[in-house]
């Protein structure tokens, strides 16, 4: 099934069930009003939501209405935890190679992960407000999952059973703030503003297309599309080159703590290796963040030439199923000045 959260003026919005084709929706109020409530009692509530989903898809839901992604908050507008991994080691290799640094052997066996802010997620069509272009504004197209309860010490295989929903993310990064923060030895903070998520989050059974399952062993084998200012810059395959699958990422968190229902775990930037053609490395699948493009340019030309995002830029992140239809709906955002917002409010 497919679930979304509609804006209603509150912090947590109203849970809606969305049809498979993303055309229609129905409030889940008669069952539960918040996604977190469903996650807390998934075994009891999810079958009721599934019944509503089936009725909606068959035209039997009496109070259905056209689905509008612009009315959506993040599927889970605020979460108990947001932990973002770096599951695509190719991305790490490019970043390291661009600064002539080796990738530590442990990076291939132990996932990289940081804990981000989860109190204020962005909806799929919300503006990305940043104080200054000089901060190095970047998008990051990712896949993310929402969990139920997963106990401390869970194996990767056990952790996979804790996945309830899958969605897309734009993990906005302010690249020019990162070096100074990492130099402190405590990791990202101000360089990672609010993350945006796709209009809908979907259950794992939605990835079966004509008997072919795109969800395999904790990886989603579909193409993640990134379109920057109307130009498609990324067509990255999310499955084959994901070094650590979602079960491994969740188990990494579970080594010393429980993971509770409503935790969000990100894959990190989806990244594909280059191929050698005519004596030169090329990246036919493009990129899922500007930083990676700049690393490629540095490796090839000695310095980056692609600039980071400017105010007025737009980013669209979407994933199509094997049937050619949008699975999650699209993240479509514009970069705007938060300083201009404050000036206008004070005028």
């Amino acid at each position: 099934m497919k679930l979304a959260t509609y804006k209603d003026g509150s912090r947590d919005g109203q849970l809606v069930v969305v049809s498979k084709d993303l055309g229609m929706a129905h409030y889940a109020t008669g069952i539960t009003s918040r996604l977190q409530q469903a996650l807390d009692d998934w075994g009891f509530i999810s079958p009721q939501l599934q019944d509503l989903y089936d009725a909606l898809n068959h035209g039997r839901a009496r109070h259905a209405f056209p689905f509008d992604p612009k009315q959506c908050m993040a599927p889970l507008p605020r979460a108990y935890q947001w932990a973002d991994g770096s599951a695509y080691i190719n991305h790490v290799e490019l970043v390291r190679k661009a600064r002539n640094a080796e990738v530590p052997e442990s990076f291939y066996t132990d996932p990289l992960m940081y804990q981000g802010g989860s109190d204020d997620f962005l909806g799929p069509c919300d503006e990305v407000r940043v104080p200054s272009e000089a901060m190095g504004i970047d998008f990051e197209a990712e896949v993310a999952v929402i969990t139920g309860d997963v106990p401390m010490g869970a194996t990767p295989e056990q952790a996979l059973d804790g996945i309830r929903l899958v969605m897309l993310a734009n993990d906005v990064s302010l690249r020019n703030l990162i070096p100074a923060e990492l130099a402190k030895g405590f990791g990202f903070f101000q360089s990672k503003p609010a993350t945006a998520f796709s209009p809908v989050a979907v259950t794992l059974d939605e990835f079966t297309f004509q008997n072919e399952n795109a969800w395999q062993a904790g990886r989603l084998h579909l193409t993640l599309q990134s379109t920057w200012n109307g130009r498609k810059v990324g067509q990255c395959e999310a499955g084959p080159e994901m070094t650590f699958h979602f079960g491994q990422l969740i188990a990494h968190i579970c080594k010393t703590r429980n993971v509770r229902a409503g935790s969000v775990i990100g894959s990190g930037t989806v990244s594909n290796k280059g191929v050698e053609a005519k004596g030169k490395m090329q990246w036919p699948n493009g990129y899922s963040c500007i930083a990676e493009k700049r690393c490629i340019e540095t490796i090839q030309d000695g310095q980056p030439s692609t600039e980071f995002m400017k105010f007025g830029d737009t980013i669209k992140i979407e994933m199509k199923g094997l049937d050619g239809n949008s699975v999650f709906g699209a993240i479509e955002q514009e970069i705007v000045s938060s300083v201009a917002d404050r000036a206008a409010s004070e005028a």
Side-chain angles (χ1 to χ4, degrees):
M1 63 183 158
K2 301 190 176 187
L3 303 173
T5 295
Y6 256 37
K7 297 175 180 177
D8 67 350
S10 71
R11 293 181 187 273
D12 299 304
Q14 287 286 324
L15 182 64
V16 299
V17 176
V18 183
S19 62
K20 189 177 187 67
D21 64 2
L22 305 180
M24 301 296 291
H26 194 291
Y27 282 107
T29 314
I31 303 169
T32 185
S33 58
R34 307 282 189 267
L35 179 55
Q36 183 61 51
Q37 294 169 348
L39 294 164
D40 286 338
D41 197 5
W42 189 254
F44 178 70
I45 293 177
S46 65
Q48 300 175 61
L49 294 173
Q50 182 68 48
D51 288 344
L52 178 56
Y53 180 66
D54 293 339
L56 183 62
N57 285 324
H58 290 91
R60 300 195 305 267
R62 294 180 57 189
H63 301 292
F65 53 88
F67 178 60
D68 182 4
K70 293 181 180 179
Q71 297 301 315
C72 288
M73 305 173 77
L76 195 60
R78 52 179 175 165
Y80 287 113
Q81 176 167 227
W82 161 232
D84 196 21
S86 188
Y88 296 85
I89 197 66
N90 179 67
H91 176 73
V92 179
E93 290 172 339
L94 285 171
V95 171
R96 291 271 173 158
K97 187 174 182 180
R99 63 173 191 255
N100 295 314
E102 294 291 328
V103 178
E105 283 299 318
S106 63
F107 283 24
Y108 294 91
T109 57
D110 194 31
L112 289 171
M113 185 170 286
Y114 82 93
Q115 195 167 48
S118 60
D119 56 326
D120 183 30
F121 290 147
L122 296 178
C125 301
D126 290 348
E127 296 173 331
V128 178
R129 294 182 170 88
V130 182
S132 170
E133 292 177 347
M135 292 180 174
I137 309 164
D138 199 357
F139 65 88
E140 284 194 56
E142 305 186 10
V143 181
V145 300
I146 305 175
T147 74
D149 288 331
V150 184
M152 183 171 63
T155 66
E157 292 70 28
Q158 291 168 335
L160 284 176
D161 291 335
I163 295 174
R164 299 289 178 257
L165 297 160
V166 184
M167 53 189 176
L168 302 181
N170 178 18
D171 183 39
V172 181
S173 292
L174 303 178
R175 298 294 182 185
N176 293 338
L177 301 186
I178 289 177
E181 288 202 314
L182 294 185
K184 294 179 179 180
F186 251 39
F188 304 118
F189 197 80
Q190 292 176 336
S191 54
K192 288 290 187 176
T195 302
F197 293 92
S198 52
V200 302
V202 310
T203 49
L204 298 181
D205 57 307
E206 292 293 327
F207 300 124
T208 299
F209 304 90
Q210 297 180 345
N211 298 321
E212 186 173 353
N213 194 351
W215 178 266
Q216 299 176 24
R219 297 174 175 89
L220 185 54
H221 290 260
L222 293 173
T223 305
L224 185 61
Q225 303 176 1
S226 301
T227 304
W228 178 18
N229 289 337
R231 185 170 70 90
K232 195 168 290 183
V233 296
Q235 287 275 85
C236 294
E237 299 301 327
E241 297 179 44
M242 188 180 188
T243 308
F244 302 101
H245 63 67
F246 277 108
Q248 292 170 301
L249 295 179
I250 297 168
H252 180 77
I253 307 172
C254 289
K255 184 174 182 178
T256 58
R257 68 184 74 176
N258 297 314
V259 169
R260 292 307 186 192
S263 292
V264 182
I265 289 85
S267 67
T269 305
V270 176
S271 178
N272 293 159
K273 291 183 179 296
V275 296
E276 188 169 338
K278 299 180 180 179
K280 185 177 181 180
M281 288 298 293
Q282 299 181 12
W283 280 264
N285 292 347
Y287 52 92
S288 299
C289 71
I290 301 169
E292 185 164 302
K293 172 65 170 173
R294 287 168 59 88
C295 287
I296 293 169
E297 292 167 345
T298 300
I299 294 166
Q300 292 182 327
D301 307 320
Q303 62 182 12
S305 55
T306 300
E307 295 184 347
F308 290 118
M309 303 181 83
K310 306 295 184 184
F311 295 142
D313 280 10
T314 59
I315 179 62
K316 179 179 180 180
I317 298 170
E318 190 172 23
M319 182 175 273
K320 302 289 182 68
L322 299 178
D323 57 2
N325 296 319
S326 183
V327 179
F328 306 93
I331 297 172
E332 296 189 75
Q333 297 182 281
E334 181 180 359
I335 310 299
V336 301
S337 170
S338 60
V339 175
D341 291 342
R342 286 199 299 270
S345 66
E346 293 170 359

